[in-house]
Every structure is written in C-alpha cells, then in structure tokens.
Amino acid sequence: MTAKPDKTAPLFWLLFAGGGTASAMLLPAMVFVTGVAVPAGWVAEDDLMALIGNPLTRLVVVSLVFLFLFHWAHRFRYALVDLGFGGLGKQAWLFYGTALAGTGLAGLAALRL
Amino acid sequence: MPEQTVLEVYRYLPDEETEPRFQSYEITYRDSWVVLDALDHIKTEIDPTLSFRWSCRMGVCGSCGMTVNGEPKLTCETFIRDYNTETIKIEPLAHFPVIRDLVINMQDFMEKLPTVSPWLITDEDKPLEAGEYLQTPAQMARYKRFSMCINCMLCYSACPVYGLNSLFTGPAALALAERYNLDSRDEGTQERSDVVTAHDGIWRCTYVGECTKVCPKDVDPAGAIQMLKLSYALDWAKSLVLPGRGR
C-alpha cells in the first residue's frame, strides 16, 4: 500500500508544539503576575485591569488559553495511547472538546471583565 | 560480586515446545566478561542448543541486541560486572516475533528501512568529470549524529509506540530519513515525505524518548523525529500560505 501524507496531523502538531512553547515561556510569567505580583502589591491592580481592558490583550490572552488547553488535550490523548488505552479514535474529541469548552469559558470571562 | 553468576535465559524451541520458558545457567563470574561472552561460554561448554545472534563483538554490527534485565542492550558491550545481582535475565528484543531462543525475526524492520529511501538522492547525476560532491565540516556536522545508526533495533524494542502499533515506521528508519534530509548533497526530502509524514510515520511518535535513551551509538532518534515534525509541519503551513512552495 502506498503511504500518503497525513493532512491534518501537521495542524494538530503545530498547535500542540505552539501550546507547549507558550506554556513553558509565558504561563509561569502570567501566573506570577496575576497570582503573586498583583496580590503582593508589586503591580497595581488598576494597571493590570487597564492592560486587560484592551480588546487586543483579551484576544491574546484567550488565544494563549486555547494553546495551553490544546497542548494539554493533545498530550493527554497521546499519553493514553502510550498507556495502551487507545485514544486515537472518536474519544480524542473529548479532550479537544474540553480544550474548546475551556477556551469558550475564558472568552466569556474576558468579555465580562 | 558473587563468585557464581546465574544467567536466566529465555528459551523457545518451536520444533520441540509450544511455549517459551526460562532456563538457568550457573557460570563462574569473570570480571572482564560481557553478557555475550557468558552466552558464548554457555553455548560452547554447557548447552550447544542455545541460539543467539552475534558477529563483530565490538558494538559495530548491531547483531547482538537482547533484553538484559529488562533493558534493550548490545550484549557485546554490556558487562556482567555492571549488574550487582546474582541473576541476570536475558531475553530476546521485545516487540519482535521470536524465531528461536534469543533470535528475533527482523523482517518488519528490514521492510520498513528502505521505505524511507535511506540513501543519497539527487535530481540529476553529475558526470564523473564534474568531480566529487564536496561538503564542508559544518555541513557534515548537521547530520553526522544521525548517521551513526547500526540498525541494532534496540530503539524499536524500547519504543512503546512501536510495541502497541507495529505499523509505526519507527525510530531508526525515521532518524535515517532525517540523516539524509539534512545532508547537503541530498535532494530527496520530497521523495521521502509521503512515507515520513504518513499517518504511521513521524506523527505517531509521542516523544517518550526511550529510543534515544537506549541507543548504543547516541543517535537520538527522538530528536531526529521532532526535527522532522517541525520541518514538515512548517512546510505544510508554508504550502497553505504560498501554494506550491511547500515540499
């Protein structure tokens, strides 16, 4: 049988890789600013709210949340494959669906800020 | 270290028995012996029916790969003294059918290897008068690590993805594809892409990394596969933005 390129795998892998890079590089900084620097008073809450008030900032933050969650979904899916539970069929959408739902919630939260 | 060492060896004699079993051989411990020496001693002095593959005895031919205390190893460079146990368990490489005792059937690997065209491909052959295909040390350094593979199949034995799905092209073959893709003299990246980027090609790798851990030649197949993924994924993205520009 002649092998054919997998047309969807590159998209999934790029989102996974992008999510991994973003998680490693940006998530700790985001957690530090929102979870430590603002409560400790090192960064004024008003300044942070002014930043997040910009629609472009909200779009970037929600996009990052999507990448973080997509990375989790893809990693978790393949972790189950490695453990012999399958995970390459329809059940894979459970993980990606959860990532999309989480992104939707982040979007709603961003709109309400 | 004990004076005596027990080798618990996987035995499978399909002509005589239906099920595999383990057989223990007690041998005198020798500090300078590798596992292959001990197996040789058993075959010549104790039990000539024991079967195993070997050839060069110096970590070059890749013939003597076996599972030693649960880990894929080249037995010609695995010293008994490094195992602080009275019993050393010797089994055939995992994930391959066993022909007899410690001899595996390597047909699957042998069929997969040529599918990635692991040789230099050029669009046009230069005439002899044009001279050699020159390469700088820096150009060679890009692929040299991946060229050290000796086809010992330890990486396939360690790879849980291959263990669960033998359709996976596998670490050594994909690392060799990257070795030639990175070679400045090669123009076969496109020719390899169908097999490399197929459903059971690079995308099946979940980056467990065991292939790299067990490789006796430090080839780093896991790294090669990630490089292939990045390279082909970026080409895919380019082909969306600029149709006809991707591989």
Side-chain angles (χ1 to χ4, degrees):
Chain A
M1 196 176 77
T2 311
K4 287 183 183 162
D6 189 325
K7 298 281 187 194
T8 55
L11 172 66
F12 279 68
W13 186 81
L14 278 175
L15 288 171
F16 165 73
T21 307
S23 303
M25 305 291 285
L26 300 174
L27 189 57
M30 289 168 74
V31 169
F32 179 78
V33 170
T34 55
V36 179
V38 171
W42 301 333
V43 172
E45 192 176 341
D46 289 346
D47 289 346
L48 183 69
M49 291 311 289
L51 181 67
I52 201 77
N54 186 317
L56 189 63
T57 310
R58 292 183 198 197
L59 182 66
V60 169
V61 170
V62 174
S63 302
L64 284 173
V65 168
F66 169 68
L67 285 176
F68 299 155
L69 290 174
F70 189 93
H71 179 78
W72 162 80
H74 199 69
R75 180 74 268 174
F76 206 72
R77 172 190 177 187
Y78 278 97
L80 288 185
V81 174
D82 288 342
L83 291 169
F85 288 105
L88 283 172
K90 285 179 185 166
Q91 63 268 46
W93 290 103
L94 183 68
F95 306 122
Y96 298 123
T98 306
L100 286 173
T103 308
L105 286 175
L108 280 177
L111 285 175
R112 286 184 178 180
L113 279 173
Chain B
M1 198 71 197
E3 285 183 4
Q4 298 294 113
T5 299
V6 176
L7 258 63
E8 205 174 312
V9 182
Y10 180 100
R11 300 298 313 268
Y12 177 52
L13 305 163
D15 296 340
E16 299 163 28
E17 300 160 7
T18 53
E19 293 295 320
R21 62 188 162 86
F22 281 93
Q23 189 165 350
S24 295
Y25 299 97
E26 194 171 301
I27 56 166
T28 304
Y29 170 76
R30 287 181 177 82
D31 195 52
S32 61
W33 269 10
V34 290
V35 170
L36 185 60
D37 292 327
L39 290 172
D40 255 347
H41 173 77
I42 292 168
K43 187 164 178 72
T44 51
E45 303 293 334
I46 305 171
D47 184 353
T49 68
L50 180 64
S51 299
F52 52 94
R53 279 199 186 99
W54 62 276
S55 182
C56 75
R57 311 184 71 99
M58 51 196 282
V60 174
C61 73
S63 305
C64 66
M66 296 172 209
T67 306
V68 181
N69 274 6
E71 223 181 318
K73 293 274 187 191
L74 282 185
T75 51
C76 69
E77 53 180 35
T78 302
F79 283 89
I80 290 174
R81 63 173 181 252
D82 292 336
Y83 292 86
N84 196 22
T85 50
E86 284 185 16
T87 303
I88 298 173
K89 202 171 194 175
I90 317 288
E91 296 165 89
L93 287 180
H95 306 157
F96 291 97
V98 177
I99 295 172
R100 179 188 166 103
D101 294 341
L102 301 165
V103 180
I104 54 143
N105 184 338
M106 58 174 80
Q107 187 168 352
D108 184 52
F109 174 68
M110 297 306 285
E111 284 173 2
K112 279 178 176 150
L113 196 54
T115 65
V116 299
S117 308
W119 48 78
L120 288 176
I121 297 169
T122 50
D123 293 338
E124 286 175 28
D125 283 339
K126 281 200 307 184
L128 278 177
E129 310 84 71
E132 310 92 327
Y133 288 87
L134 296 175
Q135 193 165 59
T136 65
Q139 286 171 328
M140 194 179 86
R142 291 185 70 209
Y143 68 82
K144 190 179 175 191
R145 185 176 194 185
F146 303 137
S147 74
M148 305 308 282
C149 177
I150 56 171
N151 299 334
C152 64
M153 294 170 288
L154 263 57
C155 53
Y156 283 75
S157 181
C159 175
V161 178
Y162 181 69
L164 289 165
N165 172 21
S166 62
L167 294 174
F168 176 43
T169 308
L174 290 170
L176 276 172
E178 180 65 344
R179 173 254 177 274
Y180 285 96
N181 281 359
L182 290 174
D183 195 314
S184 59
R185 300 164 296 179
D186 182 80
E187 293 165 319
T189 302
Q190 174 66 40
E191 193 172 316
R192 291 182 195 100
S193 69
D194 282 359
V195 171
V196 170
T197 64
H199 185 60
D200 291 312
I202 49 177
W203 311 117
R204 280 283 181 183
C205 168
T206 57
Y207 201 34
V208 175
E210 283 296 305
C211 53
T212 294
K213 201 173 142 193
V214 303
C215 178
K217 295 291 165 188
D218 296 324
V219 168
D220 190 14
I225 294 172
Q226 302 320 301
M227 288 168 72
L228 283 167
K229 282 181 183 175
L230 182 62
S231 157
Y232 280 108
L234 289 178
D235 276 347
W236 171 84
K238 271 185 220 165
S239 71
L240 291 182
V241 182
L242 304 164
R245 291 291 298 274
R247 280 175 186 163

PDB file of all heavy atoms in Angstrom, chain B residues 48-71:
ATOM      1  N   PRO B  48      24.854 -26.561  23.857  1.00  0.00           N
ATOM      2  CA  PRO B  48      25.022 -26.133  22.454  1.00  0.00           C
ATOM      3  C   PRO B  48      23.708 -25.839  21.743  1.00  0.00           C
ATOM      4  O   PRO B  48      23.725 -25.363  20.604  1.00  0.00           O
ATOM      5  CB  PRO B  48      25.738 -27.327  21.807  1.00  0.00           C
ATOM      6  CG  PRO B  48      25.441 -28.490  22.681  1.00  0.00           C
ATOM      7  CD  PRO B  48      25.232 -27.966  24.076  1.00  0.00           C
ATOM      8  N   THR B  49      22.589 -26.121  22.385  1.00  0.00           N
ATOM      9  CA  THR B  49      21.307 -25.858  21.699  1.00  0.00           C
ATOM     10  C   THR B  49      20.879 -24.401  21.808  1.00  0.00           C
ATOM     11  O   THR B  49      19.933 -23.982  21.152  1.00  0.00           O
ATOM     12  CB  THR B  49      20.172 -26.740  22.278  1.00  0.00           C
ATOM     13  OG1 THR B  49      19.891 -26.309  23.628  1.00  0.00           O
ATOM     14  CG2 THR B  49      20.523 -28.209  22.251  1.00  0.00           C
ATOM     15  N   LEU B  50      21.566 -23.638  22.642  1.00  0.00           N
ATOM     16  CA  LEU B  50      21.182 -22.229  22.824  1.00  0.00           C
ATOM     17  C   LEU B  50      21.503 -21.422  21.562  1.00  0.00           C
ATOM     18  O   LEU B  50      22.609 -21.516  21.012  1.00  0.00           O
ATOM     19  CB  LEU B  50      21.940 -21.634  24.024  1.00  0.00           C
ATOM     20  CG  LEU B  50      21.640 -20.170  24.341  1.00  0.00           C
ATOM     21  CD1 LEU B  50      20.188 -19.983  24.753  1.00  0.00           C
ATOM     22  CD2 LEU B  50      22.570 -19.647  25.434  1.00  0.00           C
ATOM     23  N   SER B  51      20.518 -20.632  21.104  1.00  0.00           N
ATOM     24  CA  SER B  51      20.721 -19.854  19.869  1.00  0.00           C
ATOM     25  C   SER B  51      20.666 -18.363  20.145  1.00  0.00           C
ATOM     26  O   SER B  51      19.793 -17.889  20.870  1.00  0.00           O
ATOM     27  CB  SER B  51      19.639 -20.196  18.838  1.00  0.00           C
ATOM     28  OG  SER B  51      19.705 -21.549  18.502  1.00  0.00           O
ATOM     29  N   PHE B  52      21.599 -17.637  19.543  1.00  0.00           N
ATOM     30  CA  PHE B  52      21.605 -16.172  19.626  1.00  0.00           C
ATOM     31  C   PHE B  52      22.440 -15.639  18.471  1.00  0.00           C
ATOM     32  O   PHE B  52      23.248 -16.358  17.898  1.00  0.00           O
ATOM     33  CB  PHE B  52      22.163 -15.673  20.975  1.00  0.00           C
ATOM     34  CG  PHE B  52      23.490 -16.252  21.348  1.00  0.00           C
ATOM     35  CD1 PHE B  52      24.671 -15.586  21.028  1.00  0.00           C
ATOM     36  CD2 PHE B  52      23.568 -17.465  22.017  1.00  0.00           C
ATOM     37  CE1 PHE B  52      25.897 -16.117  21.373  1.00  0.00           C
ATOM     38  CE2 PHE B  52      24.803 -18.005  22.353  1.00  0.00           C
ATOM     39  CZ  PHE B  52      25.970 -17.343  22.032  1.00  0.00           C
ATOM     40  N   ARG B  53      22.198 -14.342  18.154  1.00  0.00           N
ATOM     41  CA  ARG B  53      22.951 -13.731  17.039  1.00  0.00           C
ATOM     42  C   ARG B  53      24.125 -12.937  17.570  1.00  0.00           C
ATOM     43  O   ARG B  53      24.026 -12.271  18.588  1.00  0.00           O
ATOM     44  CB  ARG B  53      22.059 -12.768  16.266  1.00  0.00           C
ATOM     45  CG  ARG B  53      21.157 -13.417  15.270  1.00  0.00           C
ATOM     46  CD  ARG B  53      20.680 -12.368  14.257  1.00  0.00           C
ATOM     47  NE  ARG B  53      19.694 -12.938  13.355  1.00  0.00           N
ATOM     48  CZ  ARG B  53      18.393 -12.784  13.487  1.00  0.00           C
ATOM     49  NH1 ARG B  53      17.895 -12.048  14.468  1.00  0.00           N
ATOM     50  NH2 ARG B  53      17.563 -13.355  12.638  1.00  0.00           N
ATOM     51  N   TRP B  54      25.202 -12.948  16.868  1.00  0.00           N
ATOM     52  CA  TRP B  54      26.332 -12.076  17.165  1.00  0.00           C
ATOM     53  C   TRP B  54      27.240 -12.067  15.936  1.00  0.00           C
ATOM     54  O   TRP B  54      27.157 -12.936  15.079  1.00  0.00           O
ATOM     55  CB  TRP B  54      27.119 -12.561  18.392  1.00  0.00           C
ATOM     56  CG  TRP B  54      27.736 -13.927  18.217  1.00  0.00           C
ATOM     57  CD1 TRP B  54      27.110 -15.122  18.421  1.00  0.00           C
ATOM     58  CD2 TRP B  54      29.050 -14.222  17.776  1.00  0.00           C
ATOM     59  NE1 TRP B  54      27.955 -16.152  18.141  1.00  0.00           N
ATOM     60  CE2 TRP B  54      29.168 -15.633  17.747  1.00  0.00           C
ATOM     61  CE3 TRP B  54      30.151 -13.450  17.414  1.00  0.00           C
ATOM     62  CZ2 TRP B  54      30.341 -16.282  17.364  1.00  0.00           C
ATOM     63  CZ3 TRP B  54      31.321 -14.089  17.039  1.00  0.00           C
ATOM     64  CH2 TRP B  54      31.402 -15.490  17.013  1.00  0.00           C
ATOM     65  N   SER B  55      28.109 -11.058  15.889  1.00  0.00           N
ATOM     66  CA  SER B  55      29.075 -11.060  14.795  1.00  0.00           C
ATOM     67  C   SER B  55      30.358 -10.355  15.209  1.00  0.00           C
ATOM     68  O   SER B  55      31.363 -10.985  15.479  1.00  0.00           O
ATOM     69  CB  SER B  55      28.484 -10.406  13.540  1.00  0.00           C
ATOM     70  OG  SER B  55      29.411 -10.451  12.502  1.00  0.00           O
ATOM     71  N   CYS B  56      30.349  -9.021  15.294  1.00  0.00           N
ATOM     72  CA  CYS B  56      31.629  -8.304  15.404  1.00  0.00           C
ATOM     73  C   CYS B  56      32.217  -8.289  16.807  1.00  0.00           C
ATOM     74  O   CYS B  56      33.407  -8.125  16.985  1.00  0.00           O
ATOM     75  CB  CYS B  56      31.458  -6.872  14.905  1.00  0.00           C
ATOM     76  SG  CYS B  56      30.591  -5.792  16.048  1.00  0.00           S
ATOM     77  N   ARG B  57      31.396  -8.404  17.829  1.00  0.00           N
ATOM     78  CA  ARG B  57      31.796  -8.369  19.241  1.00  0.00           C
ATOM     79  C   ARG B  57      32.380  -7.020  19.649  1.00  0.00           C
ATOM     80  O   ARG B  57      33.075  -6.913  20.654  1.00  0.00           O
ATOM     81  CB  ARG B  57      32.840  -9.453  19.558  1.00  0.00           C
ATOM     82  CG  ARG B  57      32.489 -10.825  19.056  1.00  0.00           C
ATOM     83  CD  ARG B  57      33.506 -11.826  19.501  1.00  0.00           C
ATOM     84  NE  ARG B  57      33.397 -12.052  20.927  1.00  0.00           N
ATOM     85  CZ  ARG B  57      32.770 -13.053  21.472  1.00  0.00           C
ATOM     86  NH1 ARG B  57      32.182 -13.944  20.719  1.00  0.00           N
ATOM     87  NH2 ARG B  57      32.702 -13.187  22.771  1.00  0.00           N
ATOM     88  N   MET B  58      32.136  -5.976  18.889  1.00  0.00           N
ATOM     89  CA  MET B  58      32.722  -4.683  19.244  1.00  0.00           C
ATOM     90  C   MET B  58      31.768  -3.516  19.009  1.00  0.00           C
ATOM     91  O   MET B  58      32.196  -2.401  18.729  1.00  0.00           O
ATOM     92  CB  MET B  58      34.034  -4.463  18.486  1.00  0.00           C
ATOM     93  CG  MET B  58      33.918  -4.683  16.999  1.00  0.00           C
ATOM     94  SD  MET B  58      35.523  -4.880  16.194  1.00  0.00           S
ATOM     95  CE  MET B  58      36.057  -3.201  16.107  1.00  0.00           C
ATOM     96  N   GLY B  59      30.472  -3.768  19.124  1.00  0.00           N
ATOM     97  CA  GLY B  59      29.496  -2.688  19.063  1.00  0.00           C
ATOM     98  C   GLY B  59      29.397  -1.987  17.731  1.00  0.00           C
ATOM     99  O   GLY B  59      29.089  -0.796  17.681  1.00  0.00           O
ATOM    100  N   VAL B  60      29.645  -2.709  16.662  1.00  0.00           N
ATOM    101  CA  VAL B  60      29.587  -2.092  15.346  1.00  0.00           C
ATOM    102  C   VAL B  60      28.508  -2.719  14.458  1.00  0.00           C
ATOM    103  O   VAL B  60      27.791  -2.022  13.745  1.00  0.00           O
ATOM    104  CB  VAL B  60      30.962  -2.191  14.624  1.00  0.00           C
ATOM    105  CG1 VAL B  60      30.863  -1.674  13.198  1.00  0.00           C
ATOM    106  CG2 VAL B  60      32.016  -1.403  15.384  1.00  0.00           C
ATOM    107  N   CYS B  61      28.360  -4.037  14.546  1.00  0.00           N
ATOM    108  CA  CYS B  61      27.466  -4.710  13.597  1.00  0.00           C
ATOM    109  C   CYS B  61      25.996  -4.644  13.997  1.00  0.00           C
ATOM    110  O   CYS B  61      25.115  -4.730  13.150  1.00  0.00           O
ATOM    111  CB  CYS B  61      27.883  -6.160  13.411  1.00  0.00           C
ATOM    112  SG  CYS B  61      27.490  -7.227  14.819  1.00  0.00           S
ATOM    113  N   GLY B  62      25.723  -4.475  15.279  1.00  0.00           N
ATOM    114  CA  GLY B  62      24.330  -4.370  15.732  1.00  0.00           C
ATOM    115  C   GLY B  62      23.583  -5.692  15.765  1.00  0.00           C
ATOM    116  O   GLY B  62      22.355  -5.711  15.784  1.00  0.00           O
ATOM    117  N   SER B  63      24.292  -6.810  15.785  1.00  0.00           N
ATOM    118  CA  SER B  63      23.626  -8.123  15.718  1.00  0.00           C
ATOM    119  C   SER B  63      23.178  -8.660  17.072  1.00  0.00           C
ATOM    120  O   SER B  63      22.252  -9.457  17.133  1.00  0.00           O
ATOM    121  CB  SER B  63      24.572  -9.169  15.118  1.00  0.00           C
ATOM    122  OG  SER B  63      25.038  -8.765  13.879  1.00  0.00           O
ATOM    123  N   CYS B  64      23.871  -8.275  18.137  1.00  0.00           N
ATOM    124  CA  CYS B  64      23.694  -8.991  19.406  1.00  0.00           C
ATOM    125  C   CYS B  64      22.765  -8.282  20.389  1.00  0.00           C
ATOM    126  O   CYS B  64      22.896  -8.448  21.598  1.00  0.00           O
ATOM    127  CB  CYS B  64      25.054  -9.240  20.054  1.00  0.00           C
ATOM    128  SG  CYS B  64      25.875  -7.721  20.570  1.00  0.00           S
ATOM    129  N   GLY B  65      21.826  -7.500  19.856  1.00  0.00           N
ATOM    130  CA  GLY B  65      20.873  -6.825  20.732  1.00  0.00           C
ATOM    131  C   GLY B  65      19.961  -7.816  21.436  1.00  0.00           C
ATOM    132  O   GLY B  65      19.402  -8.702  20.798  1.00  0.00           O
ATOM    133  N   MET B  66      19.845  -7.679  22.741  1.00  0.00           N
ATOM    134  CA  MET B  66      18.953  -8.532  23.540  1.00  0.00           C
ATOM    135  C   MET B  66      18.430  -7.708  24.704  1.00  0.00           C
ATOM    136  O   MET B  66      18.899  -6.599  24.953  1.00  0.00           O
ATOM    137  CB  MET B  66      19.716  -9.747  24.085  1.00  0.00           C
ATOM    138  CG  MET B  66      20.224 -10.688  23.015  1.00  0.00           C
ATOM    139  SD  MET B  66      21.303 -11.953  23.704  1.00  0.00           S
ATOM    140  CE  MET B  66      22.366 -12.283  22.308  1.00  0.00           C
ATOM    141  N   THR B  67      17.477  -8.249  25.415  1.00  0.00           N
ATOM    142  CA  THR B  67      16.949  -7.567  26.586  1.00  0.00           C
ATOM    143  C   THR B  67      17.669  -8.116  27.811  1.00  0.00           C
ATOM    144  O   THR B  67      17.554  -9.302  28.120  1.00  0.00           O
ATOM    145  CB  THR B  67      15.430  -7.792  26.695  1.00  0.00           C
ATOM    146  OG1 THR B  67      14.830  -7.401  25.454  1.00  0.00           O
ATOM    147  CG2 THR B  67      14.837  -6.965  27.822  1.00  0.00           C
ATOM    148  N   VAL B  68      18.427  -7.257  28.474  1.00  0.00           N
ATOM    149  CA  VAL B  68      19.199  -7.681  29.645  1.00  0.00           C
ATOM    150  C   VAL B  68      18.586  -7.032  30.888  1.00  0.00           C
ATOM    151  O   VAL B  68      18.532  -5.804  30.981  1.00  0.00           O
ATOM    152  CB  VAL B  68      20.684  -7.277  29.502  1.00  0.00           C
ATOM    153  CG1 VAL B  68      21.479  -7.747  30.715  1.00  0.00           C
ATOM    154  CG2 VAL B  68      21.265  -7.835  28.215  1.00  0.00           C
ATOM    155  N   ASN B  69      18.112  -7.848  31.773  1.00  0.00           N
ATOM    156  CA  ASN B  69      17.397  -7.363  32.964  1.00  0.00           C
ATOM    157  C   ASN B  69      16.356  -6.293  32.602  1.00  0.00           C
ATOM    158  O   ASN B  69      16.285  -5.234  33.216  1.00  0.00           O
ATOM    159  CB  ASN B  69      18.371  -6.809  34.005  1.00  0.00           C
ATOM    160  CG  ASN B  69      18.899  -7.912  34.909  1.00  0.00           C
ATOM    161  OD1 ASN B  69      18.622  -9.090  34.695  1.00  0.00           O
ATOM    162  ND2 ASN B  69      19.664  -7.548  35.929  1.00  0.00           N
ATOM    163  N   GLY B  70      15.626  -6.586  31.547  1.00  0.00           N
ATOM    164  CA  GLY B  70      14.507  -5.717  31.164  1.00  0.00           C
ATOM    165  C   GLY B  70      14.860  -4.543  30.283  1.00  0.00           C
ATOM    166  O   GLY B  70      13.977  -3.778  29.892  1.00  0.00           O
ATOM    167  N   GLU B  71      16.124  -4.368  29.951  1.00  0.00           N
ATOM    168  CA  GLU B  71      16.522  -3.211  29.149  1.00  0.00           C
ATOM    169  C   GLU B  71      17.179  -3.659  27.843  1.00  0.00           C
ATOM    170  O   GLU B  71      18.052  -4.543  27.870  1.00  0.00           O
ATOM    171  CB  GLU B  71      17.541  -2.381  29.938  1.00  0.00           C
ATOM    172  CG  GLU B  71      17.284  -0.890  29.844  1.00  0.00           C
ATOM    173  CD  GLU B  71      18.332  -0.110  30.632  1.00  0.00           C
ATOM    174  OE1 GLU B  71      18.693  -0.521  31.744  1.00  0.00           O
ATOM    175  OE2 GLU B  71      18.790   0.888  30.099  1.00  0.00           O
TER     176      GLU B  71
END
